Amino acid sequence: YMIYDGVYTRKTKREVVHKIRAQFFGLWCKNALFWVPGNWANYYLGTPNLRVVFANMCSFWWNTYFSVAMAQIAAKSTPAAS
């Protein structure tokens, strides 16, 4: 995502690398904190006929959270127009 965002927003390679180094590990940890328990619950507690539905619901909530979090970070880093 971060590489795509850098290309899309026409950032330099140095800016993209800096963003990855600054934010990737925190994002990866949040991702693991969400998906490891979610997948555990899905495969050990869920029934096979509902696994896809459960995974899709988890994916929807994770993507919503991720989109809101990235929008807030972008809003903080963008100077206000006068």
Side-chain angles (χ1 to χ4, degrees), residues 2-74:
M2 292 180 180
I3 294 171
Y4 168 78
D5 182 57
V7 171
Y8 181 73
T9 56
R10 298 178 188 257
K11 293 187 178 174
T12 65
K13 182 179 176 182
R14 177 171 282 167
E15 290 173 318
V16 173
V17 169
H18 175 71
K19 183 176 180 177
I20 290 171
R21 287 186 179 157
Q23 297 177 358
F24 180 77
F25 185 71
L27 177 61
W28 180 81
C29 287
K30 289 176 185 176
N31 189 39
L33 286 172
F34 179 82
W35 281 109
V36 170
N39 282 326
W40 183 87
N42 193 17
Y43 286 98
Y44 290 102
L45 302 176
T47 59
N49 61 330
L50 294 177
R51 285 183 181 156
V52 173
V53 174
F54 182 80
N56 284 333
M57 288 176 21
C58 289
S59 180
F60 173 78
W61 290 112
W62 172 252
N63 287 327
T64 301
Y65 164 77
F66 183 69
S67 295
V68 170
M70 290 295 110
Q72 289 173 348
I73 290 171

